[in-house]
Amino acid sequence: MEIDLTPQLAKKIYGCDGGSYYSWSPKELPMLREGNIGAAKLALEKNGFALPRYSDSAKVAYVLQGNGVAGIILPESEEKVIAIKKGDAIALPFGVVTWWFNKEATDLVVLFLGDTSKAHKSGEFTDFFLTGANGIFTGFSTEFVGRAWDMDEASVKSLVKSQTGTGIVKLKDGVKMPEPKKEHRNGMALNCEEAPLDVDVKNGGRVVVLNTKNLPLVGEVGLGADLVRLDGSAMCSPGFSCDSALQVTYIVRGSGRAEVVGVDGKKVLETRVKAGNLFIVPRFFVVSKIGDPEGMEWFSIISTPNPVFTHLAGSIGVWKSLSPEVIQAAFNVDADLVKNFSSKRASDAIFFPPSK
């Protein structure tokens, strides 16, 4: 597989004084098209309002920064208005209509990762706006809209033409927006920074896995996800997704090194990664990461709602399951070296603290 896996930063697509929308292009990150994956980021400043829209792709949204409010309307359902904050993951199936609002001084930043296999453009999200200068109803004749909404021509023109913003607008101070309801969060969002840990290794790292058990709606999206927090100078075990899933990784915080090895033991990526980078690991390729002294945190989606991984080191690695005779024959080494090899990492799971 000769394809460029180099991590990339998002580029601004549009924006105003209310905020901006960024996206990763499959031209610069070819694995997006190859894997039918889309990636984008919404950043809203104070009073920034992302106009109601729906997308051609199912997604998982992850709040990278700030606090805000999201409106979510599942097909043939009532609007749910939820408070969102840093660490929240939200599953957004096909057909969902959303809007986003930030009333705080700190920017609200939301990452979107999703499946573009049914999208208009492979590797890219296409949003369809309900209002604004590029809203759906600007393309219909006044007659059609009037009959659909049972309104006179003057009222229709006022509704369709008054909002001149595109995608994102800045609302005036004091504009009243719906208040979030606590009960609306149930089943809609999971805070990955507060959820029970699936893996916790002292001085190594921690993992929270997003799946159909803790957020059933990801089953409709068809994606799983995880938040990984790697401690300073610690290592994440070499491993691969054993159910043919792609791993799409966004570096949330910190920096470090990453290596990916593919077919015939060929190293296909050896690079440094930093906050804001996105990179994709192809199916069955093995990836490992080592954090810098300040540590590293990343959010990933996996192209299956209940991912399964095989690790090639540590106490749950495949080597612990193989018999010593097989290991000796496979490596073509003596029994003493196999014994030494098998005794290592006996108590570590998938994270390895720095050597003392």
Side-chain angles (χ1 to χ4, degrees):
M1 173 183 270
E2 295 294 334
I3 195 164
D4 187 5
L5 301 180
T6 305
Q8 299 290 341
L9 298 170
K11 292 189 175 180
K12 183 176 177 179
I13 305 301
Y14 63 85
C16 65
D17 56 354
S20 301
Y21 182 84
Y22 302 82
S23 182
W24 282 266
S25 169
K27 292 180 181 179
E28 298 178 354
L29 195 57
M31 272 303 298
L32 289 171
R33 183 179 292 110
E34 184 78 16
N36 274 315
I37 297 294
K41 195 160 54 172
L42 174 69
L44 294 179
E45 298 180 20
K46 184 178 181 181
N47 292 332
F49 176 46
L51 298 173
R53 84 247 349 244
Y54 64 92
S55 175
D56 63 356
S57 305
K59 307 172 186 175
V60 172
Y62 182 73
V63 182
L64 298 169
Q65 175 184 302
N67 298 273
V69 179
I72 302 172
I73 305 173
L74 297 170
E76 300 182 354
S77 300
E78 294 183 355
E79 179 186 53
K80 292 185 181 293
V81 181
I82 66 173
I84 57 174
K85 64 179 181 179
K86 181 178 179 293
D88 276 350
I90 307 159
L92 302 173
F94 278 114
V96 65
V97 173
T98 64
W99 56 262
W100 310 80
F101 178 63
N102 179 27
K103 64 179 180 180
E104 306 293 339
T106 301
D107 286 2
L108 172 66
V109 184
V110 184
L111 174 72
F112 299 96
L113 301 173
D115 173 19
T116 65
S117 59
K118 298 179 181 178
H120 284 267
K121 299 177 183 179
S122 180
E124 297 181 51
F125 299 139
T126 299
D127 287 337
F128 295 82
F129 297 93
L130 301 191
T131 67
N134 60 342
I136 289 292
F137 290 98
T138 61
F140 281 104
S141 66
T142 304
E143 178 192 359
F144 271 62
V145 179
R147 292 186 65 175
W149 292 348
D150 191 23
M151 298 186 73
D152 61 72
E153 183 176 342
S155 297
V156 167
K157 287 183 177 180
S158 180
L159 278 171
V160 173
K161 303 293 186 181
S162 294
Q163 179 54 269
T164 57
T166 301
I168 299 171
V169 298
K170 187 179 182 72
L171 302 183
K172 295 179 180 179
D173 286 333
V175 169
K176 186 173 177 60
M177 294 292 284
E179 290 295 325
K181 296 183 179 180
K182 188 175 181 180
E183 63 271 21
H184 282 182
R185 274 185 64 92
N186 297 335
M188 296 299 299
L190 175 76
N191 191 277
C192 295
E193 295 185 354
E194 299 173 354
L197 297 172
D198 293 281
V199 177
D200 186 5
V201 176
K202 185 178 180 180
N203 298 322
R206 290 152 297 286
V207 181
V208 170
V209 178
L210 188 71
N211 53 34
T212 55
K213 293 181 180 179
N214 51 21
L215 191 61
L217 204 55
V218 298
E220 294 186 34
V221 175
L223 301 169
D226 59 25
L227 176 68
V228 180
R229 286 167 281 185
L230 193 63
D231 289 336
S233 302
M235 178 184 189
C236 184
S237 164
F240 65 94
S241 171
C242 57
D243 47 9
S244 75
L246 288 162
Q247 292 177 258
V248 185
T249 298
Y250 176 85
I251 307 300
V252 176
R253 178 189 60 80
S255 59
R257 292 175 287 149
E259 294 188 2
V260 179
V261 175
V263 180
D264 294 328
K266 181 180 179 182
K267 186 184 292 182
V268 294
L269 182 67
E270 180 178 9
T271 189
R272 290 197 59 79
V273 290
K274 62 182 181 180
N277 278 156
L278 184 86
F279 71 101
I280 302 173
V281 179
R283 292 178 175 88
F284 300 111
F285 283 32
V286 178
V287 60
S288 184
K289 308 178 190 74
I290 296 178
D292 284 341
E294 75 271 22
M296 185 163 60
E297 180 178 326
W298 63 86
F299 183 80
S300 299
I301 63 163
I302 303 95
S303 54
T304 178
N306 294 295
V308 180
F309 290 94
T310 293
H311 295 278
L312 302 180
S315 61
I316 60 173
V318 66
W319 301 112
K320 294 297 179 182
S321 300
L322 284 172
S323 59
E325 295 82 1
V326 171
I327 295 174
Q328 183 176 351
F331 278 121
N332 190 27
V333 295
D334 60 46
D336 288 340
L337 185 54
V338 170
K339 185 177 180 180
N340 183 37
F341 171 72
S342 298
S343 68
K344 301 296 184 180
R345 303 297 189 193
S347 61
D348 294 328
I350 66 171
F351 297 120
F352 309 140
S355 300
K356 296 181 179 179

